[in-house]
Amino acid sequence: MKVLVIGKGGREHALVWKLAQDERVKTIYAAPGNVGMTEATCVPIREDAISELVQFAKDEQVDWTIVGPEGPLVLGVVNAFEAAGLKIFGPSREAAALEGSKQFAKGLMERAGIPTAAFAVFTSAEEAKAYVSRQGAPIVIKADGLAAGKGVTVATTLDEAVRAIEDIFAGDFGDQSSVVIEECLVGEECSLMAFVHEETVIPMVLSQDHKRAFDGDAGPNTGGMGAYSPLPQFDEQAVTDEAMTRILRPLVEQMASEGIPFTGFLYAGLMLTNRGPSVIEFNARFGDPETEVILPRLETPLLDVIIPLTAGEEPEVLWSDAATVGVVIAADGYPERPQTGQPIDLTSIDSKVLVFHAGTTEKDDTLVSAGGRVLVCVSQAATMEAAVADIYQGLASFDQTGFFYRTDIAKKAFRTT
C-alpha cells in the first residue's frame, strides 16, 4: 500500500512512524513533511495546496491519505479528495468547523446538551471588554477561528482579559472577526481522543497535555509543552465511560442529525470538574503533542482501525499498558517570538529516547530549528516513574543554547490527593 500523510510537524512524524511499522505499507509520502521523517518520502507540496495534493495522490496511486493538521481540513481537503474518488481519513470542511469556529462548536454543544462552560460571542472589542468588566476574572478569552493552539487566554485579572481581547482583534492570531468569552471552569484537564466514522466512536486511551510554557504551569499558553499517558491519578475507565455517554456520542449523533457527519480523529479537551467532565474544546484531528504519546501505546496497526471503521465495522483496538511521557524541546522565545536557525545536536539526546521532529530543517548540512516547538522526545516504560526518569535522564546532556523544555511533565500523575 501507498499512504500519504499531510502535514509537517511532530504529530505527522508520529503518524509516519506508526505507519512504517505496518508490513503492508510499502511507501509513505509526507507532504511537505520534515527532515526528521526518514521513514517517508517527503514531497514539496504545502499542506494547504489542496489541488496539488489531489493531483499527487492521483499520479502516485496513493491508497490512503491521512490528514494531520487542522488547516487543510477546514479548507476542505477531504471534500476535494473524495470528489476525486480518493480515500482519505478526516472530517469534511463542514464537519471540521467543529474546530474552525469555536462559536459553531459551542452552538453544537448547546443543541446536543453537552456539558461545557457558559459562553458569549462578540464581534466588537468594546462590547467584549464591557462584558468581561461585568463578569469579572478569572475568565477565558478565545479567538473564534484557528489560532494554532495559541489563541486562548485564561485571564486571572481584568487587565489580562482586556489585553487578550485587544490582541485578538488586532490580528495577533490571524484574521479573527469574533471572540468567544467563557466562564473559567475549575478542575484538572485531560485529553480524550477517538476514532470516529459517522455514529461509530472508538475511544483512545486518556492523556494529559501541558499547555503553559514553563514549569509549574507558569507562562503563556502554548500549543503544548509535553504530554503523558496513562493518567494513574484518575479512574480512567469511569472518566472515559462518562465522557462517551455525555459528550462524544451525543456530539457525533447531533452532527449526523444535522447532516454533517464526522469521520476522522476527534479530540475532546476535557475539564474534570466536581460535576463530571466538561468540554473545554473540540479539535477535528489528533492532538499535538498527545499524538506522540498515544501512538506508541497503540498496538493495533493504524490502518487496521481506519479501513474497517470507514467500511462500517467496529474494529477491535488494542492498547499497551506501558507508560509514555513526551517532552517538547522548544525554541527560546516560544510561543511569542521563537528563534529559528539554531543548530541542534541530536547526539546529545540518549539514543533510547524516541525523537519526533516538529520544527526542524537543514541548513548547510546542519540540523537547525525552524519553528517554536522543535522536537518531541518520548520515553516508554512499564511504570510512569520509570518513564519519567528515562526521559529526563535521556535529556540530561541536552544543554544547548537557544532551547528550553519543561522539567515537570507528568508531575500530576503522582498526585496523592
Side-chain angles (χ1 to χ4, degrees):
M1 297 181 70
K2 293 182 178 181
V3 182
L4 169 63
V5 175
I6 297 176
K8 60 184 179 182
R11 165 185 48 223
E12 290 76 36
H13 191 179
L15 286 165
V16 165
W17 170 83
K18 183 64 181 176
L19 289 164
Q21 298 169 22
D22 191 333
E23 293 180 354
R24 295 168 305 165
V25 178
K26 177 184 177 183
T27 305
I28 305 171
Y29 298 108
N34 66 48
V35 296
M37 296 182 187
T38 56
E39 309 92 339
T41 299
C42 294
V43 293
I45 303 175
R46 297 192 324 273
E47 56 196 33
D48 61 352
I50 293 175
S51 60
E52 293 179 46
L53 291 167
V54 168
Q55 191 60 51
F56 176 83
K58 282 183 176 179
D59 292 344
E60 297 298 326
Q61 298 182 311
V62 169
D63 295 288
W64 273 95
T65 296
I66 298 174
V67 188
E70 63 273 20
L73 293 171
V74 171
L75 290 174
V77 68
V78 169
N79 305 61
F81 268 66
E82 290 182 343
L86 297 165
K87 292 180 179 179
I88 186 169
F89 191 68
S92 66
R93 177 196 300 109
E94 296 75 17
L98 182 68
E99 179 170 3
S101 169
K102 294 178 180 64
Q103 182 177 351
F104 171 82
K106 296 294 278 193
L108 195 61
M109 286 185 264
E110 201 169 46
R111 294 191 295 278
I114 292 171
T116 188
F119 73 103
V121 181
F122 298 93
T123 56
S124 157
E126 294 309 312
E127 290 178 0
K129 287 188 278 190
Y131 177 80
V132 298
S133 69
R134 294 193 301 270
Q135 296 297 313
I139 198 163
V140 180
I141 314 298
K142 295 182 176 181
D144 180 47
L146 296 180
K150 297 189 284 281
V152 177
T153 299
V154 181
T156 57
T157 67
L158 286 179
D159 284 346
E160 191 179 2
V162 167
R163 284 196 304 273
I165 291 166
E166 291 173 345
D167 289 345
I168 289 170
F169 283 105
D172 284 15
F173 303 102
D175 185 17
Q176 305 285 343
S177 59
S178 59
V179 62
V180 176
I181 302 177
E182 297 181 356
E183 69 170 318
C184 186
L185 296 173
V186 177
E188 192 167 337
E189 294 185 37
C190 74
S191 304
L192 175 59
M193 296 183 283
F195 302 102
V196 176
H197 177 59
E198 298 178 350
E199 294 189 41
T200 301
V201 185
I202 301 174
M204 303 185 201
V205 289
L206 290 176
S207 59
Q208 187 173 71
D209 185 13
H210 294 62
K211 286 291 188 186
R212 298 284 187 167
F214 308 123
D215 285 2
D217 290 330
N221 261 345
T222 72
M225 290 299 297
Y228 67 100
S229 177
L231 310 184
Q233 69 271 40
F234 299 120
D235 182 338
E236 289 200 54
Q237 192 60 56
V239 171
T240 300
D241 289 347
E242 186 173 4
M244 285 285 287
T245 300
R246 301 181 62 200
I247 294 170
L248 296 187
R249 286 199 180 97
L251 176 76
V252 299
E253 290 169 3
Q254 184 69 31
M255 294 184 76
S257 73
E258 295 186 14
I260 44 173
F262 189 98
T263 290
F265 307 116
L266 176 63
Y267 171 103
L270 305 177
M271 183 70 80
L272 304 182
T273 73
N274 56 14
R275 300 188 303 273
S278 185
V279 176
I280 302 170
E281 64 175 352
F282 282 117
N283 291 332
R285 38 73 189 181
F286 250 131
D288 190 357
E290 293 97 333
T291 306
E292 291 90 321
V293 299
I294 292 292
L295 287 183
R297 294 191 62 197
L298 178 63
E299 295 185 338
T300 305
L302 192 57
L303 292 178
D304 282 358
V305 182
I306 290 173
I307 293 173
L309 178 65
T310 52
E313 302 170 22
E314 188 165 345
E316 182 181 14
V317 181
L318 302 177
W319 298 94
S320 164
D321 291 331
T324 311
V325 178
V327 175
V328 170
I329 294 178
D332 282 352
Y334 178 72
E336 291 93 349
R337 295 176 182 83
Q339 297 179 12
T340 58
Q342 300 292 321
I344 305 164
D345 179 13
L346 290 182
T347 64
S348 64
I349 300 173
D350 191 291
S351 60
K352 294 190 290 292
V353 172
L354 181 60
V355 177
F356 295 116
H357 289 238
T360 62
T361 190
E362 282 187 342
K363 183 178 180 181
D364 300 327
D365 296 324
T366 299
L367 186 69
V368 299
S369 60
R373 292 187 293 177
V374 179
L375 303 171
V376 185
C377 300
V378 177
S379 283
Q380 191 169 54
T383 67
M384 188 61 66
E385 291 86 351
V388 170
D390 287 349
I391 191 62
Y392 286 117
Q393 287 170 10
L395 293 176
S397 297
F398 187 91
D399 185 20
Q400 299 178 41
T401 301
F403 304 97
F404 73 98
Y405 61 87
R406 284 184 58 163
T407 63
D408 62 349
I409 302 301
K411 185 177 181 179
K412 291 179 181 177
F414 307 108
R415 190 187 63 199
T416 57
T417 58

